[in-house]
Amino acid sequence: MSEVLRVGVVGVGIMGADHAERLVRRTAHARLVAVADPDEARAKELAGQFAGVRAVGDALELIGADDVDAVILASPGFVHEEQVLACLAAGKPVLCEKPLTMDSESSLRLVRAERDLGRRLIQVGFMRRFDPEYAQLRSVLAGGSLGRTLLLHNVHRNASVPNTDFRSEMIVRDSLVHEVDVARFLFGEEVAAVQVLSPASTSHASAGVVDPQVAIFTMAGGGIVTNEVFVNSQVGYEVRCEAVAERGSVIIGQPSTGLYSTALAVDGLGRWGGSVPADYRTRFATAYDLEVQAWVDSALQGESVGPSVWDGYAATAVSTAGMASLASGERVTVDLVDRPGPTTPASRTPTKEQS
Ligand code: ISE
């Protein structure tokens, strides 16, 4: 391939900075040209870490810039709708971090906007689909050797979350949404209903915040998915998934360091083991790298891969039902419109430079 995709990153928080670094150091056929954030000083600080990258304050200015071929949105979910629409209007491929938007209606507007455009430009950042273990699990299940998939059991733990302004719904919308996509990806069908249970909370959560939460999905075909999400586990980042099928089960995300490591602990006894990753950037580093590389390659080829705007909408619809269930404790049916017909692949991106 002899072309380079010139990329702009919107949002310079944890994921924006991580993607910027990835584009500069580990992504082939891509060049980071600009970063945008309303906090311009922070944008400048990030841009300053790389040669030839400029900082702008206005996301829409970055999206419309002539030297930006494609955009990664790592901004907060409540600005995604406007920014994704601007990418569609400019005809630019966009990799939008999850959640696609904050509610079903706005996600559906994006499904319809892309359909009206007539070509796929939106990829949603459900990176677990690119994780080698999840991908392998899916091919085992889809291969059919274990028979029909009946159950999934997911565990999703973060060491901690910032306590200021954190609300229980954020566990559903920002964390559980990954399990929603995993369930849809592994079963190959929609989530029909969701119930979110509120066990006793850890003393490490802020007052009034329900943490951990247990969510139960009923899939369209009748399978059940159990999910524990615990964002103040104190220990580290743990993501595991066990699939149970008619003739066997498969577990992914078990700790394996490849090393058998020993050390002397404070009590004077020897210990063996490995370490728990601190956060998702470490645990899913390979998945993020593969996700962004696949996005860049597909944008250059005028094709489209990975989770679509429909996947983003379907996940938002489950989160919307999940937040209602968190409030009521009841099982809530997921409200999804009929899926529109397929859009054609993205046409070639308009401006490219030769490498
Ligand atoms: C965060 O936004 C993520 O996407 C992480 O993968 C998840 O583990 C975390 O709980 C979310 O807040």
Side-chain angles (χ1 to χ4, degrees), residues 51-67:
V53 177
R54 69 176 191 285
V56 292
D58 181 5
L60 299 183
E61 183 189 321
L62 176 143
I63 293 167
D66 285 343
D67 65 345

Side-chain angles (χ1 to χ4, degrees), residues 98 127 156 158 174-175 178 231 237 280 288:
K98 41 60 55 179
M127 78 298 183
H156 180 172
N158 296 97
D174 294 324
S175 305
H178 283 295
V231 301
Y237 195 65
Y280 40 92
Y288 285 120

Side-chain angles (χ1 to χ4, degrees), residues 58-312:
D58 181 5
L60 299 183
E61 183 189 321
L62 176 143
I63 293 167
D66 285 343
D67 65 345
V68 170
D69 299 324
V71 179
I72 294 182
L73 293 181
S75 45
F78 61 86
V79 290
H80 283 176
E81 183 181 8
E82 181 188 39
Q83 294 174 354
V84 171
L85 287 173
C87 292
L88 295 184
K92 297 184 181 178
V94 53
L95 173 58
C96 179
E97 272 300 338
K98 41 60 55 179
L100 178 60
T101 65
M102 305 298 267
D103 54 53
S104 300
E105 292 72 30
S106 48
S107 285
L108 185 56
R109 285 196 287 275
L110 294 182
V111 170
R112 291 182 171 145
E114 193 191 62
R115 180 205 54 196
D116 292 347
L117 193 67
R119 58 189 172 127
R120 259 198 77 178
L121 286 178
I122 304 168
Q123 181 179 326
V124 180
F126 289 123
M127 78 298 183
R128 290 191 193 175
R129 293 186 183 214
F130 292 90
D131 175 70
E133 281 187 78
Y134 275 101
Q136 217 183 333
L137 174 55
R138 175 167 148 122
S139 56
V140 168
L141 298 178
S145 57
L146 298 182
R148 185 176 174 200
T149 306
L150 306 170
L151 303 169
L152 291 182
H153 303 293
N154 292 309
V155 170
H156 180 172
R157 299 186 191 135
N158 296 97
S160 62
V161 287
N163 273 342
T164 35
D165 298 332
F166 193 86
R167 296 185 318 281
S168 305
E169 307 86 70
M170 292 160 77
I171 294 183
V172 175
R173 191 158 47 202
D174 294 324
S175 305
L176 179 67
V177 70
H178 283 295
E179 277 67 36
V180 173
D181 188 61
V182 160
R184 297 182 62 255
F185 180 57
L186 294 179
F187 271 95
E189 57 193 46
E190 298 298 349
V191 178
V194 54
Q195 182 170 24
V196 180
L197 306 177
S198 302
S201 286
T202 169
S203 58
H204 297 287
S206 306
V209 169
V210 180
D211 180 33
Q213 297 178 14
V214 174
I216 301 162
F217 306 152
T218 307
M219 304 305 294
I224 294 278
V225 182
T226 64
N227 306 278
E228 171 207 310
V229 187
F230 186 11
V231 301
N232 285 289
S233 74
Q234 306 300 293
V235 178
Y237 195 65
E238 295 178 88
V239 171
R240 292 192 277 277
C241 175
E242 176 167 13
V244 181
E246 288 173 302
R247 287 190 294 277
S249 60
V250 191
I251 302 182
I252 63 159
Q254 296 280 51
S256 75
T257 60
L259 284 180
Y260 171 78
S261 136
T262 65
L264 206 56
V266 278
D267 57 10
L269 291 174
R271 293 276 193 281
W272 62 270
S275 54
V276 179
D279 68 24
Y280 40 92
R281 287 169 296 178
T282 318
R283 164 67 178 85
F284 285 114
T286 304
Y288 285 120
D289 286 354
L290 293 171
E291 172 196 52
V292 171
Q293 190 64 63
W295 175 69
V296 166
D297 293 346
S298 65
L300 284 170
Q301 284 157 3
E303 291 167 356
S304 207
V305 293
S308 65
V309 68
W310 176 265
D311 295 314

Side-chain angles (χ1 to χ4, degrees), residues 18-42:
D18 198 52
H19 283 318
E21 212 251 338
R22 168 171 300 105
L23 285 163
V24 172
R25 312 226 188 277
R26 295 193 297 286
T27 311
H29 315 295
R31 186 156 77 80
L32 177 65
V33 292
V35 296
D37 199 281
D39 184 343
E40 239 178 302
R42 220 170 149 201

